Amino acid sequence: MRDAAPTRRTVLRGALAAAVLTAPLTAGCTRHGGPDDGRAPDDSPAPDGSPTPDGRHTAGTGSVLAVKIDNAAAARPQTGLDAADVVYAEQVEGGLSRLMAVYATRLPEVVGPVRSARESDLELLRQFDGPTLAFSGAQHKLLPLIDRAPLRPKTPDTASAAFYRGGDRAAPHNLYLRPARLMSGPPGEAALTTGFRYGPAPAGGTVTAARTVRYPAARFTFTWSAGRKRWLVSMDGAPTPTAAGRRLEPATVVVQHVRVRTSAYHDVLGNYTPYTETVGTGKAEVLRDGRSFEATWTRRAAADGTTFTGADGAPVDFATGQVWVVFAAR
């Protein structure tokens, strides 16, 4: 079982991250080909620990792999989502949704479809130390910010051997990633510096059979399965399996109410991107064990993880297993 994760980087790590963020640009934009950006070696170190019987690594070195996942109807079913430790759902242009899958204890053989990054991803990823971000590209004015961020950006132009186009779907919904070609192994759960705590359920809560979160043009529903002891995921009214036919079933679902404002960046059609603010504080609902627990989320700085506390000020622990965080506009 995972113990409480740290919510603040050490002074040394914070200084290093700040130095990287303010350092001069030393490489071309991530959209273009050529050498890597030079901020980290090509592969993360292999994990120190041995895998548990389910293939998950509890100890190791290095940092997480974060992958931007297409969530349009034409992109489903996705591949490799069931292996993620954390899945974040955010609103994008046109009221649609996109996912970011974070991998630390397992690396699936294939992940995808992979899509483009957004400005608010950079703030969200600051909670991890030097994460690898795999994505298909970004709006060209955003690329310099990605290059200066304390992460390792990987796209088909900078790591072509790790990506491929599938033949069963039309572009852009057919770009896939082979994680083993970016990282030599999973870094282990110590790399999950999210601030999340895992343990027994708190007292109280409200019995909840299902919870739906709506975006202007997307919908997530999580239905409790007492038999599986998991929340079964549906999107836009349809059950959501992976490409392998396995139902997506997180142990914990967090509905995090955040401020969503307009970003300075827009798509080729002129639609401005929503910016999801994940630093600050606000209300949240933690769904676990068939119940909903009201909570307050707090993330004091971008380099911190996010903590969840109940009305009594005590931490709200998550159930062990995959976590989905759905950002809902307040």
Side-chain angles (χ1 to χ4, degrees):
M1 183 175 295
R2 283 179 273 199
D3 296 321
T7 61
R8 185 175 298 275
R9 307 286 76 78
T10 63
V11 173
L12 177 58
R13 286 182 175 177
L16 288 173
V20 173
L21 189 58
T22 57
L25 186 63
T26 59
C29 291
T30 54
R31 181 180 57 180
H32 304 299
D36 190 32
D37 58 19
R39 285 169 291 195
D42 228 12
D43 290 316
S44 297
D48 294 330
S50 299
T52 59
D54 64 356
R56 304 173 75 87
H57 288 257
T58 59
T61 59
S63 193
V64 301
L65 169 66
V67 186
K68 288 307 299 285
I69 304 291
D70 194 348
N71 199 36
R76 301 175 197 147
Q78 292 101 338
T79 301
L81 269 182
D82 53 322
D85 294 279
V86 183
V87 177
Y88 293 99
E90 62 181 347
Q91 187 182 153
V92 293
E93 300 85 0
L96 296 169
S97 65
R98 189 154 295 176
L99 308 176
M100 180 186 288
V102 177
Y103 299 89
T105 62
R106 286 189 293 173
L107 292 181
E109 184 178 352
V110 175
V111 178
V114 181
R115 287 300 297 272
S116 56
R118 295 295 185 273
E119 182 187 8
S120 52
D121 297 336
L122 304 182
E123 179 177 280
L124 181 62
L125 286 171
R126 281 291 307 280
Q127 66 190 297
F128 303 110
D129 294 320
T132 296
L133 173 62
F135 61 109
S136 63
Q139 204 273 345
H140 72 279
K141 292 183 179 179
L142 178 59
L143 291 171
L145 270 70
I146 296 174
D147 281 327
R148 292 195 296 269
L151 53 78
R152 302 169 62 232
K154 298 296 180 181
T155 69
D157 288 327
T158 62
S160 60
F163 295 86
Y164 71 94
R165 291 280 180 187
D168 58 337
R169 299 175 185 173
H173 310 295
N174 63 349
L175 180 65
Y176 293 88
L177 170 73
R178 297 184 179 94
R181 299 192 179 186
L182 290 183
M183 306 173 69
S184 58
E189 66 183 11
L192 288 171
T193 49
T194 55
F196 301 166
R197 291 173 53 104
Y198 299 82
T206 302
V207 174
T208 302
R211 176 68 166 90
T212 296
V213 180
R214 290 178 172 85
Y215 292 170
R219 184 165 87 252
F220 295 89
T221 298
F222 303 92
T223 303
W224 177 248
S225 169
R228 302 185 69 84
K229 299 188 184 301
R230 292 290 186 270
W231 298 93
L232 306 182
V233 181
S234 296
M235 296 182 190
D236 302 330
T240 306
T242 65
R246 292 187 288 271
R247 188 78 180 268
L248 292 172
E249 46 180 26
T252 304
V253 176
V254 178
V255 181
Q256 186 173 337
H257 300 273
V258 297
R259 180 175 179 238
V260 179
R261 59 174 172 82
T262 301
S263 168
Y265 304 95
H266 57 77
D267 64 16
V268 294
L269 300 177
N271 298 311
Y272 281 86
T273 302
Y275 186 104
T276 300
E277 295 186 357
T278 57
V279 172
T281 188
K283 298 300 182 183
E285 304 156 55
V286 176
L287 308 178
R288 58 164 297 175
D289 302 322
R291 291 179 175 268
S292 175
F293 299 87
E294 293 185 2
T296 297
W297 68 267
T298 302
R299 186 181 177 203
R300 292 185 173 85
D304 292 341
T306 305
T307 59
F308 295 85
T309 55
D312 59 356
V316 177
D317 289 347
F318 295 177
T320 300
Q322 187 180 73
V323 177
W324 277 57
V325 179
V326 183
F327 295 119
R330 61 190 180 196

